[in-house]
Amino acid sequence: MSQKCNMRGEVTKENTVHVKTDPKFEKYATVGGFCPNALPHPSTWKTRPLLFRLSGSCHNVTGNLQPAWGRFEENVESKYLALKRTGEKEVAQGGLPVNTEAFTFETSTFSGKGILRIPSEETKEYFKGKRRLSSVLVQGKFKKKISFRDVLTGQEFCHPVKSPGYFITKAAFALFKTLSPSMEANIVAENEKEMIPNATHFMSPMAATASIINISKDEKSAPTLSTTARIQEDMRALGGELADSFTKYPDMERRIIWRKKYFNKITNLEKFSFDTDVIYTFDFYNDKLILEDLRLAILGKRFDLTSYLAGQPLRIMAKVRGSTQYLWNFELWHERQTESWDRTKSDKVVTGGTPSPSQVTSPKS
């Protein structure tokens, strides 16, 4: 069943834009339908020049979001591109708020809410006195028990990113490895004959990577999410060494450093699981990524990430190792990644989707 984009059922230059990408990568957007190559027009983005949204095929959507965007396919008879819904899972393409109230989301493995915070008048109390450039708060419950070893967070790409050069790449990897020694990464060269979705990825165990983790017995005792909330590291509910660390390291920053080091060992990750009967709150903050402009501040310079992403979003995500099961998968796009709609392009336009299980190449146990 077709769903119309406007009163005439047309996709027009007023409501649709292409994603800029390297021509050699463009065709891979249609393989598995994972990488969008069309987006709603920036004039509809509530957080322009940034589009922050749920990734397609991962979430069940609740709340008042912008219209869903499924797949565009050429309609020869009427000579325009009709928007078709290709299944209930291909929704969740509308914009999410930034620096305001929490939004809700749900996947097959996690149900919760989140807030993206970047420096602004609304968030100045949170960033005051900190070197942080952004913060993503996520709070909710797991739907099934999953080992700490098997919950990963990081970045994955449907096709290769453009290399910024050997020395910059080496420096960036050294930095990321320092921050997360347990990081598992794979880089696919730009000239590979066969490009498999997710072959290029940087993934680490979430227990060793999250900036702050708080475990609460119920929603009443869980931290309240807000634009100014500063979450306290508290994993006493796990008992043992994690409970002892609360007393041993009363200074929270030292406690976080100890926890990250502790969970960089696989044997320690395998001792614990994310359970379904408690509330988890995660804060992912950083001092390198300028999210509102999609630039990376490193080596004393600022690099435009849109140049290297090659028509792909930056992702804020967590998933189950070796599967297509996501806890959450949020996309960040910048207006610089778009170009005017050209209806003469004959390729099918894909604006959402996810690779099939046979295409998954994320780290396996």
Side-chain angles (χ1 to χ4, degrees), residues 215-227:
I215 305 176
S216 308
K217 63 179 181 180
D218 52 36
E219 292 186 10
K220 186 176 181 181
S221 60
T224 300
L225 301 194
S226 71
T227 56

Side-chain angles (χ1 to χ4, degrees), residues 207-237:
T209 308
S211 305
I212 292 176
I213 302 177
N214 180 288
I215 305 176
S216 308
K217 63 179 181 180
D218 52 36
E219 292 186 10
K220 186 176 181 181
S221 60
T224 300
L225 301 194
S226 71
T227 56
T228 58
R230 292 190 175 183
I231 309 303
Q232 296 298 305
E233 173 90 1
D234 191 344
M235 301 183 73
R236 285 177 290 179

Side-chain angles (χ1 to χ4, degrees), residues 43-191:
S43 62
T44 68
W45 300 0
K46 297 178 180 180
T47 54
R48 187 177 185 180
L50 199 67
L51 173 62
F52 177 49
R53 70 179 192 173
L54 301 171
S55 185
S57 292
C58 299
H59 304 84
N60 299 317
V61 184
T62 58
N64 183 23
L65 300 179
Q66 294 179 5
W69 293 77
R71 299 175 187 269
F72 293 104
E73 295 178 352
E74 189 170 5
N75 185 324
V76 178
E77 293 182 1
S78 56
K79 296 183 179 180
Y80 65 81
L81 297 179
L83 176 60
K84 294 186 177 182
R85 285 194 62 184
T86 58
E88 289 300 320
K89 290 185 177 180
E90 291 219 347
V91 294
Q93 298 298 293
L96 295 170
V98 176
N99 288 344
T100 57
E101 75 283 355
F103 57 86
T104 60
F105 67 91
E106 183 174 356
T107 66
S108 61
T109 56
F110 194 87
S111 178
K113 53 188 176 181
I115 297 180
L116 171 59
R117 302 185 290 187
I118 55 180
S120 69
E121 185 65 26
E122 294 81 7
T123 61
K124 66 180 182 181
E125 289 303 313
Y126 170 76
F127 288 101
K128 186 177 181 180
K130 303 290 184 181
R131 296 177 57 189
R132 302 170 190 173
L133 298 175
S134 66
S135 162
V136 180
L137 285 176
V138 176
Q139 182 181 87
K141 298 184 72 172
F142 282 75
K143 292 185 175 182
K144 59 183 179 180
K145 190 173 183 178
I146 308 175
S147 169
F148 273 24
R149 187 186 179 189
D150 292 332
V151 177
L152 307 175
T153 184
Q155 292 290 317
E156 61 182 10
F157 305 93
C158 63
H159 58 65
V161 295
K162 282 192 172 184
S163 172
Y166 172 77
F167 291 106
I168 294 176
T169 301
K170 184 178 180 180
F173 262 93
L175 171 65
F176 296 149
K177 270 293 187 181
T178 299
L179 297 175
S180 180
S182 56
M183 181 181 73
E184 303 173 37
N186 185 55
I187 302 293
V188 178
E190 295 180 23
N191 59 355

Side-chain angles (χ1 to χ4, degrees), residues 50 116-119 127 131-136 154-155 157 172 175-176 179 202 284-298 301-306 308-309 313-317 332:
L50 199 67
L116 171 59
R117 302 185 290 187
I118 55 180
F127 288 101
R131 296 177 57 189
R132 302 170 190 173
L133 298 175
S134 66
S135 162
V136 180
Q155 292 290 317
F157 305 93
L175 171 65
F176 296 149
L179 297 175
F202 312 87
F284 301 90
Y285 54 74
N286 86 92
D287 60 358
K288 299 291 186 293
L289 286 173
I290 308 170
L291 292 187
E292 64 267 35
D293 205 31
L294 286 195
R295 296 183 189 273
L296 178 66
I298 190 175
K301 298 181 179 180
R302 293 189 176 188
F303 297 91
D304 183 359
L305 289 178
T306 65
Y308 307 115
L309 290 171
L314 191 69
R315 297 187 185 276
I316 298 169
M317 54 163 286
L332 275 168

